[in-house]
Amino acid sequence: MKRFLACVVALGLALVMAAPAQAVTEVTFWSAPNPPQEVFWRQMAERFNAVQDDIRVTVRAMVESPSSEATIMTALAGGTAPTGSENIFIGFGSQLYESGALVPLDTLPGWEELIKARNMEQSIEAWRFPDGHFYILPIYANAMLFGWRIDILQDLGYEEPPRTYSEVIEVGKRLRERDRSMYLLARQALVQNAWWERWFDYLLLYNAASDGQPFISGSEITADEEAAVKVFQFYKDLSDNQLLLTQAVTDPFPTGLSIWQELGPWTFSDWAERFPELEYGVHFVLTPPPVPDDYPADAPVKTFADAKGLVIYAQSSPAEQQALFEFIKWVFSDPANDLLWLEVTGLPPVRDDLSVNPIFRTFFEEKPVLLPYAEALPYAVPPFTNSRFADIQTTLSDEGLLPLIAGRKSPEQAWRDAKAAIQAILDR
C-alpha cells in the first residue's frame, strides 16, 4: 500500500512539474518624481499584485535629471521606456503623440467603462487629441482660481468680489484712491516672457472670456478672436490705470500689498505654516476668473487647469499594454482610490463628481478652502495640444502681452502680431 501511495504522489508531482506554468505579464510603471505620488502608486501596485496572479506591476519613480520629460525621451530613444508612466501634461503628450510613442487608450478594451466608472465623461473631452483619440488619462487637475482679500474689499465698501472686467477696474481704482502704496495685482511675470507664465495670466483669462474655445487645435489657430482681444484690452486697462505692480516683491497677497492673485490649490499648505492668521472666508475668498462685461451672469466660467495624466508607451508589447491598462482600470474604477490619492498627494483627482460625491465629503469638510477647486474641475481647461507649446507661448509674450503692458501696442495690434507670429511657427 505504501509503495502504491508513493507512486501516486510521485506521479502527481511529475504532472505538476510537467504542466506549463501560469504566464505572468510583468509591467513597469514610472511614477512622478514626487514622494507622495510614488507612495500612492506603490500602495496601489502592492494591493493589485496581491489580488490577482496574472499581472505583476513594478513601480519606480522616474528620474528628474535634467527633467522628467528628458528622462522619458532618453528611455524611448534607447528602447528602455517603461510600460507606462504618469506626470504627462498635454503639451509634452503632444510631442510623444506626434512621434508615435503613445498608445491610443480609447482603443483598449474597457476604456468607456473606465471613464464612466470614474465619472469623468465631461472632463475627459478636453483631453481629446486632433485625431479624435485619447492618449492621456488625466489623473489630477489643479483648476486655477483667483483669491480676493475680502477683508480689504469690505473696508472699501464691497461685500462681494467683482465678477466682470469693469467691476475689477472699479475696485482697483477705489483701492488706489484710498492708498497709493497698495495695488490690485502684483505680478512680475507680466513683464517676463517665460512661456509657462502665460498659462497663469493671459490663457487663464482667455479660457474664461471664450467659454473654453480652444486656442489652438492641431496646427490651426482656433482662438475666439473677440475674446483674445478683450483679454488684451483688460490687461491694458489694468496697466493704464496703474493697478499693476510688476516689480519683484515677496508675498504681496498674504501681506496685503495687493488684493487679487491667481491661486492654485497647492498654495494653502504653505500659507498654513507661514501665514496661519489668514483664514478662508474671513481674510480671503476664491472666485473663478473675471469675465468680459457682456458674459452671461448665469453661465459657468471656464478656467485653466494645471493638469497631468498617465500614458502607455507603444514600444511595449500588446500584452503588456493591456496588462497595464487592467491595473489602471482597477485603480481608477474605485472612488476610494481617488480619495486615497487626494489624501496622500493633495492633488484633486479629475472627476466630474469630486465636489458632490459623498465619499469625498469628510475631506472637504476638513479642508473647505479646497472645495471651490473641486467645484471648478468640470470647467477647467488643460493646455492646448501642440508640441511647440513653448515657442507659441513665448511668442504670445514677445509679440502680444509684453509690448501691450509696456504701452507699445494696442490690444488689436498685440493680437494681430501675436497671431501672425504663432501661425508662422505652426506653418514650419
Side-chain angles (χ1 to χ4, degrees), residues 240-256:
D240 288 351
N241 285 284
Q242 300 180 341
L243 306 182
L244 303 176
L245 177 63
T246 56
Q247 299 171 358
V249 290
T250 302
D251 300 318
F253 185 85
T255 59

Side-chain angles (χ1 to χ4, degrees), residues 247-426:
Q247 299 171 358
V249 290
T250 302
D251 300 318
F253 185 85
T255 59
L257 175 62
S258 65
I259 66 170
W260 182 47
Q261 182 177 333
E262 79 284 353
L263 297 174
W266 58 81
T267 304
F268 308 107
S269 58
D270 174 59
W271 282 9
E273 294 184 7
R274 299 173 59 227
F275 305 101
E277 70 280 7
L278 282 182
E279 185 176 349
Y280 175 59
V282 175
H283 301 98
F284 72 97
V285 294
L286 297 167
T287 71
V291 290
D293 294 358
D294 58 355
Y295 194 88
D298 57 348
V301 177
K302 299 289 176 57
T303 186
F304 169 76
D306 172 28
K308 291 186 176 179
L310 62 80
V311 299
I312 296 177
Y313 296 105
Q315 67 179 217
S316 55
S317 71
E320 292 168 339
Q321 295 168 14
Q322 187 60 48
L324 183 61
F325 193 58
E326 293 301 319
F327 171 58
I328 292 167
K329 286 193 297 182
W330 181 86
V331 171
F332 290 115
S333 294
D334 186 348
N337 292 335
D338 269 326
L339 176 60
L340 178 64
W341 167 272
L342 184 59
E343 292 172 337
V344 172
T345 69
L347 301 170
V350 178
R351 299 183 60 105
D352 296 339
D353 65 346
L354 186 60
S355 64
V356 297
N357 191 319
I359 198 170
F360 303 108
R361 183 176 300 150
T362 300
F363 178 87
F364 288 116
E365 286 175 350
E366 294 173 352
K367 299 182 179 179
V369 70
L370 297 182
L371 182 58
Y373 291 95
E375 294 171 337
L377 270 181
Y379 312 111
V381 181
F384 54 76
T385 55
N386 190 284
S387 60
R388 284 164 283 189
F389 55 89
D391 291 342
I392 291 170
Q393 291 179 207
T394 300
T395 298
L396 181 62
S397 305
D398 293 340
E399 297 294 335
L401 191 59
L402 270 60
L404 176 108
I405 295 292
R408 300 197 303 271
K409 290 185 180 180
S410 68
E412 293 79 9
Q413 187 68 47
W415 171 241
R416 195 159 48 241
D417 292 351
K419 181 183 176 185
I422 291 170
Q423 189 61 61
I425 294 172
L426 296 173

Side-chain angles (χ1 to χ4, degrees), residues 59-114:
V59 171
R60 298 191 182 99
M62 64 178 67
V63 177
E64 194 177 26
S65 179
S67 67
S68 59
E69 288 83 3
T71 299
I72 291 170
M73 295 298 282
T74 301
L76 287 169
T80 58
T83 316
S85 75
E86 62 163 341
N87 209 36
I88 307 294
F89 84 97
I90 203 165
F92 179 54
S94 297
Q95 285 182 284
L96 299 174
Y97 155 74
E98 290 178 4
S99 64
L102 301 181
V103 173
L105 301 178
D106 54 321
T107 64
L108 298 174
W111 168 261
E112 292 184 3
E113 291 80 1
L114 170 60

Side-chain angles (χ1 to χ4, degrees), residues 26-294:
E26 302 272 353
V27 297
T28 304
F29 184 78
W30 282 0
S31 67
N34 176 25
Q37 288 171 252
E38 183 183 357
V39 166
F40 170 82
W41 283 112
R42 287 189 183 279
Q43 285 190 26
M44 289 294 99
E46 288 175 6
R47 294 180 189 180
F48 180 73
N49 291 341
V51 297
Q52 50 77 48
D53 297 321
D54 299 329
I55 302 167
R56 188 64 47 195
V57 179
T58 300
V59 171
R60 298 191 182 99
M62 64 178 67
V63 177
E64 194 177 26
S65 179
S67 67
S68 59
E69 288 83 3
T71 299
I72 291 170
M73 295 298 282
T74 301
L76 287 169
T80 58
T83 316
S85 75
E86 62 163 341
N87 209 36
I88 307 294
F89 84 97
I90 203 165
F92 179 54
S94 297
Q95 285 182 284
L96 299 174
Y97 155 74
E98 290 178 4
S99 64
L102 301 181
V103 173
L105 301 178
D106 54 321
T107 64
L108 298 174
W111 168 261
E112 292 184 3
E113 291 80 1
L114 170 60
I115 299 304
K116 185 175 182 180
R118 206 189 182 203
N119 206 321
M120 56 188 306
E121 291 158 304
Q122 181 177 347
S123 303
I124 192 65
E125 282 304 315
W127 293 77
R128 190 184 293 276
F129 275 65
D131 67 354
H133 287 293
F134 296 95
Y135 293 83
I136 301 174
L137 177 72
I139 300 177
Y140 69 88
N142 293 314
M144 294 301 298
L145 297 176
F146 278 90
W148 284 96
R149 285 295 300 256
I150 190 66
D151 51 348
I152 298 175
L153 285 178
Q154 290 169 341
D155 289 344
L156 294 171
Y158 299 98
E159 290 303 316
E160 295 181 352
R163 185 183 72 86
T164 66
Y165 291 170
S166 292
E167 292 171 357
V168 172
I169 298 296
E170 177 190 309
V171 167
K173 287 180 177 177
R174 187 175 297 187
L175 174 73
R176 295 279 284 160
E177 287 170 359
R178 194 190 71 167
D179 188 339
R180 297 296 292 179
S181 70
M182 297 177 69
Y183 292 85
L184 182 75
L185 174 67
R187 181 167 171 76
Q188 187 184 25
L190 286 169
V191 294
Q192 298 173 331
N193 73 345
W195 65 265
W196 59 88
E197 295 290 2
R198 299 297 78 81
W199 281 341
F200 304 105
D201 44 45
Y202 184 85
L203 294 172
L204 172 53
L205 294 193
Y206 168 79
N207 286 339
S210 67
D211 192 29
Q213 171 72 26
F215 193 76
I216 289 175
S217 299
S219 59
E220 301 292 330
I221 299 174
T222 54
D224 179 329
E225 301 214 18
E226 183 178 355
V229 173
K230 284 181 177 178
V231 175
F232 276 130
Q233 181 66 57
F234 179 53
Y235 276 111
K236 182 178 187 299
D237 292 341
L238 291 170
S239 180
D240 288 351
N241 285 284
Q242 300 180 341
L243 306 182
L244 303 176
L245 177 63
T246 56
Q247 299 171 358
V249 290
T250 302
D251 300 318
F253 185 85
T255 59
L257 175 62
S258 65
I259 66 170
W260 182 47
Q261 182 177 333
E262 79 284 353
L263 297 174
W266 58 81
T267 304
F268 308 107
S269 58
D270 174 59
W271 282 9
E273 294 184 7
R274 299 173 59 227
F275 305 101
E277 70 280 7
L278 282 182
E279 185 176 349
Y280 175 59
V282 175
H283 301 98
F284 72 97
V285 294
L286 297 167
T287 71
V291 290
D293 294 358
D294 58 355

